[in-house]
Amino acid sequence: MKTIITMDVSQVTLRHRLVTMRNFLALDAGGTSTRAVLVDSAGNCHGYGTAGGGNPASRGFGPALDALVQASTLALGGRPAAIEGVLVAMAGASLELPLHLFQDGFEPLGLTGDIMIESDLLATFYSGSCHDEGLALIAGTGAVGARIAGSQLAAVADGTGWLLGDEGSGFWLGREVVQAVGAALDGRGQATALTELVLAELGIAWEPNARTQGRLRAQQQLISRVYEQSPIELSRFAPLVFKVQEGAAQEDVVARDIIERAANALAQTLLAVSQGVESDGAAQLAAGPLVFGGSVLTKGPTVAQAVVDALRTNKSGPGAGLSTAIAPILVDDGVAGSAVLVLKRHGIDVDAGVFSRIQDSLAALRS
Amino acid sequence: MKTIITMDVSQVTLRHRLVTMRNFLALDAGGTSTRAVLVDSAGNCHGYGTAGGGNPASRGFGPALDALVQASTLALGGRPAAIEGVLVAMAGASLELPLHLFQDGFEPLGLTGDIMIESDLLATFYSGSCHDEGLALIAGTGAVGARIAGSQLAAVADGTGWLLGDEGSGFWLGREVVQAVGAALDGRGQATALTELVLAELGIAWEPNARTQGRLRAQQQLISRVYEQSPIELSRFAPLVFKVQEGAAQEDVVARDIIERAANALAQTLLAVSQGVESDGAAQLAAGPLVFGGSVLTKGPTVAQAVVDALRTNKSGPGAGLSTAIAPILVDDGVAGSAVLVLKRHGIDVDAGVFSRIQDSLAALRS
């Protein structure tokens, strides 16, 4: 019923609303893709557009700005609208960016107000909730946890990158998979069905007894292939651990161990940010909404469920203050949250009604 | 008594011996330094020289050959000698190198025979033993284990590089140290005395409550500094784990855990290569000599002792077939072993007498 009303508002009275409502552009700028939405102050999303990577840290300033403008132009769809404000959610929002250049890029689109940059962590959280207190856990290529308080980031844990941490992330999983195969090949680790999958993926023939200078030839080839590519590309092997877990007639101990360690690390990241509010971290977890983002947590139930299990039996006492039903809210990205944020930052109260209008009208535009 | 005789032979009758004895050059070519020794068929070392990195894989072919020739020229010390053979021990000995270019480089020095390349693993083993069967474990910047059989490498485990393995190596230890500090800073891990040392080493001020966008400023600076340098440079933090362990009034749990995991991983690497000979890997360990090389194992007793402890309680049964006294032979590098190898490869029997002449005369030259 609600959906029908929203469709009506956004289609029939669109022209009128664009004149009388306040309009905003909300962007979610990732390393490889950017999403933009035109949203009004009642939470109605009127247009949606996507483009390539829009993060200056990974793409460079010029190409990133081009992507932001391109996605925004698509979201505007040629409709004339005065844009009161633009909000861009991105990783590394604390970097000192030349905001006036962003401003110059957006003025031709009708921007009359300011452009602001916010953390992608906040945007991910607000994609799942309109509350101003809660927790977010994201495990995509990287992994990071955050506590939100007063609609700001109060604490951040991990997100320390592929070399230092990002434990439980896609990169972390991919590296663990290849390390486990390396160890299985030379006998340091247990045999695993991952070996066949990884060698096949890399086009390496498996000859059990072929050695050169004492080294198994398959392992030598594995080493060569891995060091030919950039370290971060190891994340491509992450899906194999789920494939093995799901497809195996009997459980693969090595794959299960990797998934369990990922889940425990992610639970630890979440507990780290949940502490400091109450002495009992577990009780705090149950208080506010818990939002999960990133493909590792949202594209399959395995890790998300294992994280919830790990939270129930955390060090602060096995589930003492914890609700029996921890139900994380799964979100695909930060574009809905960016729309929530741009309204909040312009003093607009995003209540449950506005929030569900954002969710529903955005979903209709993306479908 | 033996030493006096050796000195007599090598000094008084040197000119005569250089004419009648067969002479060889043995080199140990590392990534950052190269060692060369002039050795005769009786095991007497007559000259010693060092130069910069001599490994073509890390230095490039031209500079590597220059270093090999420079160290050899110093070892020859202007003495006229026909060199029957040259042996260069280096990592990556299985690479296809343009041997004729090596040959061209050495002929002006008096080389009449061939030049051969052997694995640095074999050379490290033979620096500690003249037997043709046994085990070697090396933990320097990297970490690798090998079983030697019939004076060849029969099995090699790990040595898979910083991204895939090298577990228990200097790089691995350094990365664990910085990861532990990162986790301690944001509350994912326990507090540790390593934090103060790492932050001081990087010139980062420790302000417990200073945050930007929810992230502790000290952690943000740690992340920035680490990603400014090349990953392999993390090995510089390895010594801190021993400093904390040795200096602490009460034991640092985090540091102890890192050292224990390093030792367990190294023990696992050794057990992996010891298997395949006898079904009981532990019994095999006790059979041949066990040689330890690399700074992590030789520059302090902590890890070497922990590896021995871990071997005693390995999975194949707690010390069942294992001698109560596992006494690894510690060696500094592979130059003595390269001398052993060059003689063996030219059909010369390296018995205990020849071996101890190599050791004693080389030690005298290096002192």
Side-chain angles (χ1 to χ4, degrees):
Chain A
M1 191 62 181
K2 196 194 308 173
T3 306
I4 296 168
I5 292 170
T6 305
M7 293 291 283
D8 183 53
V9 166
S10 66
Q11 290 177 348
V12 179
T13 66
L14 179 63
R15 184 164 302 275
H16 175 68
R17 294 183 66 82
L18 283 171
V19 177
T20 59
M21 298 293 286
R22 300 161 66 188
N23 293 298
F24 302 91
L25 271 172
L27 291 99
D28 177 33
T32 56
S33 68
T34 296
R35 290 153 290 277
V37 64
L38 173 65
V39 61
D40 69 27
S41 48
N44 298 295
C45 296
H46 300 288
Y48 177 73
T50 62
N55 189 318
S58 55
R59 294 247 12 229
F61 188 82
L65 180 55
D66 287 349
L68 298 178
V69 170
Q70 191 188 338
S72 299
T73 303
L74 290 169
L76 289 168
R79 284 179 290 267
I83 307 299
E84 191 177 325
V86 174
L87 186 141
V88 183
M90 58 171 66
S94 57
L95 296 174
E96 287 180 19
L97 293 167
L99 274 183
H100 65 281
L101 293 180
F102 277 109
Q103 196 89 28
D104 293 348
F106 275 88
E107 274 172 6
L109 300 185
L111 176 61
T112 57
D114 283 341
I115 189 161
M116 57 204 320
I117 312 288
E118 289 276 1
S119 159
D120 59 334
L121 285 170
L122 270 184
T124 300
F125 175 75
Y126 280 120
S127 281
S129 170
C130 59
H131 291 84
D132 291 333
E133 324 280 326
L135 296 168
L137 182 66
I138 306 174
T141 303
V144 63
R147 176 160 52 82
I148 290 86
S151 89
Q152 300 289 344
L153 289 173
V156 173
D158 208 351
T160 54
W162 62 274
L163 188 56
L164 276 184
D166 277 3
E167 292 187 70
S169 68
F171 170 79
W172 186 95
L173 286 165
R175 187 184 53 193
E176 290 289 326
V177 163
V178 181
Q179 284 182 343
V181 168
L185 284 173
D186 68 22
R188 283 173 295 134
Q190 282 185 267
T192 166
L194 290 167
T195 303
E196 200 185 327
L197 294 178
V198 168
L199 294 184
E201 171 96 12
L202 292 170
I204 298 171
W206 170 226
E207 309 159 89
N209 294 310
R211 290 177 186 268
T212 304
Q213 299 255 5
R215 164 89 68 199
L216 269 175
R217 243 178 264 165
Q219 192 188 39
Q220 185 58 54
Q221 289 178 280
L222 176 72
I223 296 169
S224 301
R225 298 291 158 79
V226 165
Y227 289 95
E228 277 165 15
Q229 54 190 14
S230 111
I232 198 69
E233 288 179 53
L234 288 181
S235 52
R236 69 191 263 217
F237 297 104
L240 300 183
V241 77
F242 304 112
K243 193 172 172 185
V244 161
Q245 264 308 69
E246 286 151 20
Q250 68 179 57
E251 197 171 48
D252 192 278
V253 177
V254 173
R256 188 191 61 196
D257 179 59
I258 292 173
I259 292 171
E260 276 182 4
R261 285 186 294 118
N264 285 331
L266 289 168
Q268 210 54 44
T269 296
L270 202 49
L271 288 169
V273 290
S274 72
Q275 283 156 9
V277 180
E278 313 203 8
S279 60
D280 181 356
Q284 170 59 21
L285 267 184
L290 171 60
V291 176
F292 278 6
S295 56
V296 172
L297 289 168
T298 61
K299 297 294 179 217
T302 319
V303 177
Q305 187 53 52
V307 171
V308 170
D309 293 345
L311 289 173
R312 284 225 183 81
T313 56
N314 77 75
K315 286 177 189 169
S316 315
L322 208 58
S323 158
T324 46
I326 308 174
I329 302 157
L330 306 190
V331 300
D332 286 331
D333 53 46
V335 66
S338 184
V340 172
L341 264 171
V342 76
L343 300 189
K344 281 182 182 275
R345 294 297 189 248
H346 287 85
I348 296 160
D349 179 30
V350 181
D351 60 18
V354 174
F355 185 65
S356 76
R357 265 198 295 281
I358 292 174
Q359 302 266 53
D360 295 343
S361 58
L362 181 60
L365 290 169
R366 295 175 91 172
S367 69
Chain B
M1 192 63 182
K2 197 195 308 174
T3 307
I4 295 167
I5 291 170
T6 306
M7 293 292 283
D8 183 52
V9 166
S10 66
Q11 291 178 347
V12 179
T13 66
L14 179 64
R15 184 164 300 274
H16 175 67
R17 294 183 66 84
L18 283 172
V19 177
T20 58
M21 297 294 284
R22 300 161 65 188
N23 293 298
F24 303 91
L25 270 172
L27 291 98
D28 177 32
T32 55
S33 66
T34 296
R35 291 153 289 277
V37 64
L38 173 65
V39 62
D40 70 27
S41 49
N44 299 296
C45 297
H46 299 289
Y48 177 73
T50 62
N55 191 318
S58 54
R59 294 247 12 228
F61 188 83
L65 181 56
D66 287 348
L68 299 178
V69 170
Q70 191 187 338
S72 300
T73 303
L74 289 169
L76 289 168
R79 284 179 290 268
I83 308 299
E84 191 177 324
V86 174
L87 187 142
V88 183
M90 60 170 66
S94 56
L95 297 173
E96 286 179 20
L97 293 166
L99 274 184
H100 64 281
L101 293 180
F102 277 108
Q103 196 89 29
D104 294 349
F106 275 88
E107 273 172 6
L109 300 185
L111 176 61
T112 58
D114 283 341
I115 189 161
M116 56 205 319
I117 313 288
E118 290 275 2
S119 158
D120 59 333
L121 286 171
L122 271 184
T124 300
F125 175 75
Y126 281 120
S127 282
S129 169
C130 58
H131 290 85
D132 290 334
E133 324 281 325
L135 296 168
L137 181 66
I138 307 175
T141 303
V144 63
R147 177 160 51 81
I148 290 87
S151 89
Q152 302 287 346
L153 289 172
V156 173
D158 208 351
T160 55
W162 62 274
L163 189 55
L164 276 184
D166 279 3
E167 293 187 68
S169 67
F171 170 78
W172 187 96
L173 286 165
R175 187 184 53 194
E176 290 288 328
V177 163
V178 181
Q179 284 183 342
V181 169
L185 284 173
D186 68 23
R188 284 174 295 134
Q190 284 185 268
T192 166
L194 289 167
T195 303
E196 199 186 327
L197 293 178
V198 168
L199 294 183
E201 171 96 13
L202 291 169
I204 298 171
W206 169 227
E207 308 160 90
N209 294 311
R211 289 178 186 269
T212 304
Q213 298 257 4
R215 165 88 70 199
L216 269 175
R217 243 178 263 164
Q219 193 188 38
Q220 186 57 56
Q221 288 179 280
L222 176 72
I223 296 169
S224 301
R225 298 290 158 79
V226 165
Y227 289 95
E228 276 165 15
Q229 55 189 13
S230 112
I232 197 70
E233 289 179 53
L234 288 181
S235 53
R236 70 190 262 217
F237 297 104
L240 300 183
V241 77
F242 304 112
K243 193 173 173 185
V244 162
Q245 265 309 69
E246 286 152 20
Q250 67 180 58
E251 199 171 45
D252 191 278
V253 177
V254 173
R256 188 191 62 197
D257 178 60
I258 292 173
I259 291 171
E260 275 181 6
R261 285 186 294 118
N264 285 332
L266 289 168
Q268 210 54 44
T269 296
L270 202 49
L271 288 168
V273 290
S274 73
Q275 283 155 11
V277 180
E278 314 204 8
S279 59
D280 181 355
Q284 171 60 21
L285 267 185
L290 172 61
V291 176
F292 278 8
S295 56
V296 172
L297 289 167
T298 62
K299 297 295 180 214
T302 319
V303 177
Q305 186 54 51
V307 171
V308 170
D309 292 346
L311 289 172
R312 285 224 182 83
T313 56
N314 77 74
K315 287 176 188 168
S316 315
L322 208 58
S323 157
T324 46
I326 309 174
I329 302 157
L330 305 189
V331 301
D332 286 331
D333 53 47
V335 65
S338 184
V340 172
L341 264 171
V342 77
L343 300 189
K344 281 182 182 275
R345 294 296 188 248
H346 286 86
I348 296 159
D349 179 31
V350 181
D351 60 17
V354 174
F355 185 65
S356 76
R357 264 197 294 282
I358 291 173
Q359 303 265 52
D360 295 343
S361 59
L362 180 60
L365 289 169
R366 295 175 92 173
S367 68

